[in-house]
């Protein structure tokens, strides 16, 4: 099978090995002639970033790089990015990297023409209508990890550096105009990042599949996304240059983010405040939280996982799936609990407060209360 395709769901996606060569063409299609490539500090000096900039230069596009992006980007990074965008006279953004680069890149494109504070556009009710939609600049997204799926999302996650809360900034026009999914860009990821980002995609699919909301299309995408991760993450982890496995993982990442239109749940409600307070890797934190959340939700989701397990190649229905998750985490050396990530017992009240405020709470099959969230955090320690 040739793993190359052009998709238009949920946006235009150029998928396949080597398709980073089409970056300049994608920019021109979106009307971008002076792109600002937004990426993170670790990725900026690497060959794949230099390759992207060379492609733009050869095509005559006047591009610049902004890389003051922390692992959990915040409003300080955003302000610096917007300043760089305006100072360079840019007319569009290339969001390049993992979740941090993609999220901040989208937020820079969104905020470059706004006059209100970014927190006024949090994903609450119809706050997105406060934005000047005509001032949002075009975005090209180029993921270099296979996990967050932010390349196909209409939002960016931003940490408030004062309150240590993760906020979701949303607007429909934050959806990139074009996505280039080139699995060759993911080959150089360290094994821990391959695992952590892949487990993030898995968490997205598991939570979307578990969500009680009605969205049959997302349900089907989440199920197939789980299968792709189960079959291909071990391959990508063991053999980093396995392009077929890397391609399937890029698909699974985009599928997870598409599927969670149906909702997320307690895994993300817990992971967001942990990341904001302790600066942990998001996907790894999700993996640590997943077993405890599956136990909480078992009475509600057991039946659907009884049916799904067979398709996923797992014996024993829900119980078999729950046991598999533990083995899957172990195979990637995922820490056994939140304490191993540096989380302390005395932080639990603040983490619970953050989780209750997180929009992901609303997608959990079991209603999340202060009491059961406290128990969840303790179970995950």
């Amino acid at each position: 099978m040739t793993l190359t395709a052009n998709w238009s769901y949920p946006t235009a996606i150029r998928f396949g090995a080597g398709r980073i060569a089409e970056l300049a063409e994608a920019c021109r299609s979106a009307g971008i002639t002076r792109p600002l490539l937004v990426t993170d500090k670790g990725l900026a000096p690497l060959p794949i970033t230099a390759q992207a900039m060379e492609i733009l230069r050869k095509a005559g596009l006047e591009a610049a790089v902004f890389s003051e992006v922390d692992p959990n980007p915040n409003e300080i990074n955003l302000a610096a990015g917007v300043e760089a965008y305006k100072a360079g006279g840019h007319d569009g953004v290339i969001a390049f990297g993992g979740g941090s680069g993609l999220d901040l890149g989208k937020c820079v494109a969104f905020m470059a023409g706004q006059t209100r504070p970014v927190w006024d556009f949090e994903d609450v009710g119809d706050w997105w209508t406060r934005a000047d939609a005509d001032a949002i600049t075009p975005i090209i997204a180029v993921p270099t990890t296979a996990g967050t799926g932010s390349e196909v999302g209409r939002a960016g996650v931003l940490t408030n550096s004062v309150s240590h809360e993760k906020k979701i900034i949303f607007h429909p026009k934050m959806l990139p105009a074009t996505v280039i999914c080139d699995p060759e860009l993911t080959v150089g990821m360290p094994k821990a990042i391959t695992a952590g980002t892949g487990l993030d995609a898995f968490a997205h699919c598991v939570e979307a599949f578990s969500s009680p909301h009605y969205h049959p299309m997302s349900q089907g995408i989440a199920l197939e996304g789980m299968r792709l991760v189960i079959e291909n993450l071990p391959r990508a982890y063991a053999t980093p240059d396995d392009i077929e496995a890397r391609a399937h993982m890029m698909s699974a990442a985009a599928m997870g983010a598409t599927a969670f239109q149906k909702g997320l749940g307690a895994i993300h409600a817990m992971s967001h405040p942990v990341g904001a307070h302790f600066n942990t890797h998001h996907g790894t934190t999700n993996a640590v939280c997943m077993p405890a959340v599956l136990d909480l939700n078992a009475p509600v989701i057991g039946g659907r996982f009884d049916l799904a397990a067979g398709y996923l190649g797992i014996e024993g229905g829900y119980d078999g799936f729950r046991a598999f998750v533990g083995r899957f985490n172990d195979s990637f050396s995922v820490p056994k609990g939140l304490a191993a990530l540096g989380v302390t017992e005395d932080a639990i009240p603040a983490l619970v407060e953050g989780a209750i405020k997180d929009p992901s709470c609303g997608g959990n099959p079991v209603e999340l209360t202060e009491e059961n969230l406290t128990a969840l955090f303790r179970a995950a320690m």
Side-chain angles (χ1 to χ4, degrees), residues 46 152 203 299:
L46 296 185
V152 294

mmCIF file with all atom_site columns, all heavy atoms in Angstrom, residues 46 152 203 299:
data_model
loop_
_atom_site.group_PDB
_atom_site.id
_atom_site.type_symbol
_atom_site.label_atom_id
_atom_site.label_alt_id
_atom_site.label_comp_id
_atom_site.label_asym_id
_atom_site.label_entity_id
_atom_site.label_seq_id
_atom_site.pdbx_PDB_ins_code
_atom_site.Cartn_x
_atom_site.Cartn_y
_atom_site.Cartn_z
_atom_site.occupancy
_atom_site.B_iso_or_equiv
_atom_site.pdbx_formal_charge
_atom_site.auth_seq_id
_atom_site.auth_comp_id
_atom_site.auth_asym_id
_atom_site.auth_atom_id
_atom_site.pdbx_PDB_model_num
ATOM 1  N N   . LEU A 1 46  ? 17.473  22.148 14.516 1.00 0.00 ? 46  LEU A N   1
ATOM 2  C CA  . LEU A 1 46  ? 17.601  20.831 13.915 1.00 0.00 ? 46  LEU A CA  1
ATOM 3  C C   . LEU A 1 46  ? 17.511  20.889 12.387 1.00 0.00 ? 46  LEU A C   1
ATOM 4  O O   . LEU A 1 46  ? 16.942  21.823 11.809 1.00 0.00 ? 46  LEU A O   1
ATOM 5  C CB  . LEU A 1 46  ? 16.528  19.894 14.468 1.00 0.00 ? 46  LEU A CB  1
ATOM 6  C CG  . LEU A 1 46  ? 16.610  19.591 15.973 1.00 0.00 ? 46  LEU A CG  1
ATOM 7  C CD1 . LEU A 1 46  ? 15.574  18.552 16.360 1.00 0.00 ? 46  LEU A CD1 1
ATOM 8  C CD2 . LEU A 1 46  ? 18.003  19.131 16.374 1.00 0.00 ? 46  LEU A CD2 1
ATOM 9  N N   . VAL A 1 152 ? -4.997  19.575 13.165 1.00 0.00 ? 152 VAL A N   1
ATOM 10 C CA  . VAL A 1 152 ? -6.360  19.526 12.630 1.00 0.00 ? 152 VAL A CA  1
ATOM 11 C C   . VAL A 1 152 ? -7.369  20.097 13.627 1.00 0.00 ? 152 VAL A C   1
ATOM 12 O O   . VAL A 1 152 ? -8.566  19.813 13.544 1.00 0.00 ? 152 VAL A O   1
ATOM 13 C CB  . VAL A 1 152 ? -6.762  18.092 12.206 1.00 0.00 ? 152 VAL A CB  1
ATOM 14 C CG1 . VAL A 1 152 ? -5.910  17.630 11.040 1.00 0.00 ? 152 VAL A CG1 1
ATOM 15 C CG2 . VAL A 1 152 ? -6.665  17.112 13.368 1.00 0.00 ? 152 VAL A CG2 1
ATOM 16 N N   . ALA A 1 203 ? -4.632  8.348  24.084 1.00 0.00 ? 203 ALA A N   1
ATOM 17 C CA  . ALA A 1 203 ? -5.549  8.907  25.081 1.00 0.00 ? 203 ALA A CA  1
ATOM 18 C C   . ALA A 1 203 ? -6.689  9.667  24.417 1.00 0.00 ? 203 ALA A C   1
ATOM 19 O O   . ALA A 1 203 ? -7.853  9.576  24.849 1.00 0.00 ? 203 ALA A O   1
ATOM 20 C CB  . ALA A 1 203 ? -4.786  9.817  26.044 1.00 0.00 ? 203 ALA A CB  1
ATOM 21 N N   . PRO A 1 299 ? -17.889 1.161  35.109 1.00 0.00 ? 299 PRO A N   1
ATOM 22 C CA  . PRO A 1 299 ? -19.309 0.787  35.103 1.00 0.00 ? 299 PRO A CA  1
ATOM 23 C C   . PRO A 1 299 ? -20.088 1.323  33.902 1.00 0.00 ? 299 PRO A C   1
ATOM 24 O O   . PRO A 1 299 ? -21.103 0.742  33.507 1.00 0.00 ? 299 PRO A O   1
ATOM 25 C CB  . PRO A 1 299 ? -19.838 1.396  36.414 1.00 0.00 ? 299 PRO A CB  1
ATOM 26 C CG  . PRO A 1 299 ? -18.632 1.526  37.286 1.00 0.00 ? 299 PRO A CG  1
ATOM 27 C CD  . PRO A 1 299 ? -17.517 1.864  36.352 1.00 0.00 ? 299 PRO A CD  1
#
